[in-house]
Amino acid sequence: MTHPHTVFSLLFAAILAVALPAAQAQVLAPELAAKEASPAPSQWGLGLAVGLDRKAYRDYDNDVQALPLLLFENRYISFFGTTLDAKLPSSGPLSFRLRARYANDGHEAKDSPYLAGMAERKGGVWLGGAVLWRGGVVNASAEALAATGDAEGKRVKLELNRDFQVGALTLTPRVAANWQDKKFVDYYYGVRAAEVRAGRAAYTGDAASNVELGLRMGYAVAPRHNVFVDLSATKLGGAIKDSPLVDRSNQGSVKAGYLYSF
């Protein structure tokens, strides 16, 4: 059996193994690219989203946050919310991406009385690759990302979803498995020796796998005007649940927004 710490390396290597030769072929033989269909026009969108993340930290202050939304997509890049993709050449039904994503996984001492006296854990930009597959019955995706800056660790996500169209309403249920390595869990859920106090023992995290269920509902109010609601619930892995900073085995989020497409 493959050891968990090799999951990231194997998935990322698989993405590059298929995507890079295809990209190289386009560079070495540009006449092949010229035979492809004309690129679709660029798509733009502007909007606003609000969200509430119910994190699993003890006595955590779950504030509602607002996020401006910018959508841009053309043949080469895709940007929406906090995710930027560079599109690589496809291989059959598979699409490959180089991905950058911002994730606010961190916490500060002021977020909870139980976190008082702890050093800040920061969010950050995650870089890596993704592969997408759109099937007739179900869609699948996989991404492997590594932290940059102040954040630490690696993460891998595998997701299955399907769109159901009912008039102007689109329903997209999903199920996903999220794996985080030892560095990630230890950084965000560990307790360092200098942070120990009564009721908060030292803790060194280990790799963990979470399971997420979600549902996205989108509704076209009028041409170019769209509203959406996204619900998710995540069952946390054992190494996260065992942290003294955590007092529940699950966490969830609710997001709602409006997007105008140009």
Side-chain angles (χ1 to χ4, degrees), residues 203-220:
Y203 183 73
T204 301
D206 203 352
S209 297
N210 306 328
V211 177
E212 175 191 354
L213 295 176
L215 175 64
R216 182 182 177 90
M217 297 169 284
Y219 186 76

Side-chain angles (χ1 to χ4, degrees), residues 51-100:
L52 173 64
D53 291 320
R54 185 175 182 268
K55 294 188 177 182
Y57 296 112
R58 295 177 183 267
D59 302 323
Y60 191 82
D61 185 11
N62 298 296
D63 293 331
V64 175
Q65 297 183 338
L67 174 70
L69 291 180
L70 172 63
L71 165 69
F72 177 74
E73 183 166 10
N74 62 17
R75 187 179 178 184
Y76 305 104
I77 66 172
S78 172
F79 178 79
F80 183 66
T82 58
T83 302
L84 172 65
D85 283 352
K87 298 180 180 181
L88 298 174
S90 301
S91 177
L94 298 178
S95 299
F96 299 90
R97 310 286 179 90
L98 296 178
R99 175 164 292 176

